[in-house]
Amino acid sequence: MTAAVTLRLIIDDPVPGVRYSLQKDDLPFEPRTAGDGPIAFELPVTLHPDGRMTGPFVRREGTVRRFVYIRIGTSAGDHASPWSRRAKIDIHDIPRALLAPGALLEVHLPGRGKDGSPACATVRPVAPWRPV
């Protein structure tokens, strides 16, 4: 039996004026432009009895790795942006103890790289996943 779980991704310090979106089915989904505070995205995933997560936001590499993309700049639909990036957020490593049917799980992510530009590539959480 499968179950629904909701993931909340919070970018703590996004670059103001930059457009961000989730990636759904290889397209930007609900893009929004960052202001001076955090920006959050919520997405549903389907949890399978073996712990796998699937859904229109979930991507995979190999048999184990599951992740979601946050699109940034031109990738999120802002064709005037100087950035064309994606941030890869791993979800396969969410502790199994947190994966309960109907759960809402939250993670905080850094919004900027060391150079101050939008964080991209594989982005590691600033704190572990937690239930809300």
Side-chain angles (χ1 to χ4, degrees), residues 3-115:
V5 173
T6 301
L7 304 180
R8 180 182 295 153
L9 311 173
I10 301 171
I11 303 170
D12 285 334
D13 188 25
V15 177
V18 174
R19 185 173 298 167
Y20 293 81
S21 74
L22 290 172
Q23 179 172 306
K24 181 179 180 185
D25 299 326
D26 295 326
L27 296 169
F29 180 78
E30 296 185 352
R32 58 191 80 158
T33 302
D36 291 329
I39 191 169
F41 296 96
E42 285 193 8
L43 60 125
V45 298
T46 301
L47 176 63
H48 296 265
D50 62 1
R52 284 179 305 116
M53 287 179 272
T54 60
F57 297 98
V58 178
R59 301 286 169 263
R60 66 180 215 171
E61 288 177 359
T63 58
V64 175
R65 189 174 192 192
R66 299 286 191 273
F67 58 91
V68 297
Y69 278 126
I70 296 175
R71 291 172 160 254
I72 303 161
T74 61
S75 294
D78 179 1
H79 301 292
S81 177
W83 294 292
S84 184
R85 299 180 174 184
R86 291 188 303 184
K88 183 185 283 189
I89 315 304
D90 285 323
I91 61 172
H92 65 275
D93 53 3
I94 296 173
R96 291 257 334 212
L98 299 179
L99 295 173
L104 170 58
L105 305 176
E106 178 178 278
V107 71
H108 287 262
L109 304 163
R112 301 176 196 223
K114 291 179 183 178
D115 64 355

